Amino acid sequence: MRILAAGNKNHSGSRGSRGFTLLELLVVLSIMALATVGVGLAMRDGTQAQLERDAERLAALLESARAQSRASGVPVRWLARPEGFRFDGLPDSHTLPTRWLDPTTGVRGEASLVLGPEPLIGPQQVILSQSTHPEHALRVATDGLRPFAVEAVQ
């Protein structure tokens, strides 16, 4: 009678096929998932990223102008222009940028926002897109109580 050592599953002297362990499969799946994420980030659309930067910047500028309007008690209006935008009503000492980061960024339609001086303003929004990729669009909006935020256009 032959006695087998612990872990020796081979009863006949020939070597049988051995499958993959669960740990080996999990390692391979993890590597594939990381590679997929890396490729996805590397292939991200640069124009969409530029539009997102412009939208986030505009939301911050609108909140800054809104705070300045409340502090000074003077109404401030944001107006879109073909070459950028402008803030009307701010004192000369409070100049804010008037150009987009990406020259292809623009506003869909006519856009004018009233930013104060009242603490509550009406719901307002502006939709940004790029002339090179008009299918990409983002909304910068507020419900009048919360700060301006960037949202995807559906």
Side-chain angles (χ1 to χ4, degrees), residues 4-113:
L4 299 174
N8 186 0
K9 298 176 186 167
N10 192 354
H11 295 283
S12 63
S14 68
R15 189 166 185 113
S17 66
R18 181 179 159 242
F20 294 106
T21 66
L22 180 60
L23 182 60
E24 291 170 331
L25 289 174
L26 288 174
V27 168
V28 170
L29 286 175
S30 298
I31 292 171
M32 289 175 57
L34 287 173
T36 302
V37 168
V39 168
L41 290 175
M43 294 181 66
R44 184 165 178 196
D45 188 6
T47 58
Q48 182 69 17
Q50 278 292 107
L51 185 62
E52 287 175 15
R53 277 194 290 278
D54 268 329
E56 292 290 342
R57 178 175 174 245
L58 178 61
L61 289 172
L62 292 172
E63 281 305 309
S64 176
R66 190 175 176 187
Q68 291 177 29
S69 176
R70 283 190 298 225
S72 67
V74 176
V76 173
R77 178 178 290 270
W78 179 86
L79 299 165
R81 299 177 3 192
E83 66 278 358
F85 51 88
R86 75 171 190 249
F87 291 91
D88 288 340
L90 287 176
D92 292 335
S93 62
H94 295 98
T95 58
L96 293 174
T98 60
R99 301 234 181 247
W100 302 111
L101 296 172
D102 182 359
T104 64
T105 300
V107 175
R108 283 190 185 169
E110 301 274 331
S112 173
L113 306 175

